[in-house]
Amino acid sequence: MREIEQIADGLIVKAKQSGGLEDVRFVKAYGADAPETPVSGYLAVVSIDSMSRTNSFLGNRVYNGLNGEKFTAQIKIRIYAPDYQNGQELTSVSGILCENIKNADEEKIVSGVKFSPVGFDENINAMYRDCCVDVSFYLCREVKI
């Protein structure tokens, strides 16, 4: 699970560096930071929705002494709007995030990005929109022969 967290962290760092998300604060659902209530600015909570092994090589051998397996995962980024916005800019922020994630995908592991309709979270009294990023990657390790 640590590997997918590192992949998610890397995508988010690169997406933030692309610009346009300066007003969005990112926190990890799998980290120690908790979202504040009420939401005072745009807040994106990153979580790992699912991860599964899709393919395994014969004997887990890839090539040249590498062993590995192919995995797929879904990274969910829930973007909360500040209470004074009432969700008005969620579509704009979501679009910027989508483009930045596609541009940040230097390893070409992102197989799809989709957004949910705008929703309301009663627990923190804020409008939100989910961005789901599907990734596909290989985990390999060198094996002494």
Side-chain angles (χ1 to χ4, degrees):
M1 192 68 157
R2 194 176 88 241
E3 289 85 0
I4 185 58
E5 291 172 2
Q6 291 172 344
I7 288 170
D9 292 349
L11 279 174
I12 296 302
V13 166
K14 290 175 187 172
K16 285 172 46 177
Q17 291 171 346
S18 295
L21 298 173
E22 294 82 8
D23 296 335
V24 181
R25 184 170 70 93
F26 287 84
V27 296
K28 302 175 191 178
Y30 48 87
D33 295 335
E36 79 273 358
T37 54
V39 177
S40 59
Y42 286 104
L43 178 68
V45 180
V46 181
S47 62
I48 310 302
D49 256 12
S50 65
M51 185 168 116
S52 63
R53 185 178 71 184
T54 56
N55 284 332
S56 180
F57 300 100
L58 183 60
N60 288 341
R61 187 162 305 278
V62 181
Y63 66 91
N64 295 340
L66 290 178
N67 278 4
E69 298 173 314
K70 183 176 182 181
F71 290 84
T72 59
Q74 186 173 75
I75 302 166
K76 182 171 81 173
I77 306 164
R78 179 164 280 187
I79 308 164
Y80 291 100
D83 57 357
Y84 57 85
Q85 280 282 338
N86 293 325
Q88 293 176 4
E89 296 294 322
L90 276 174
T91 300
S92 174
V93 171
S94 299
I96 293 168
L97 178 62
C98 177
E99 280 305 309
N100 287 5
I101 285 177
K102 289 178 183 176
N103 293 335
D105 183 25
E106 296 169 351
E107 292 86 17
K108 305 297 181 211
I109 60 171
V110 174
S111 57
V113 179
K114 59 185 175 258
F115 289 94
S116 70
V118 174
F120 182 75
D121 187 332
E122 293 178 4
N123 293 327
I124 64 171
N125 197 31
M127 303 294 287
Y128 71 89
R129 192 163 194 192
D130 290 336
C131 168
C132 295
V133 181
D134 296 319
V135 295
S136 178
F137 56 95
Y138 291 92
L139 292 181
C140 297
R141 65 183 182 278
E142 189 171 359
V143 177
K144 306 272 187 207
I145 299 178

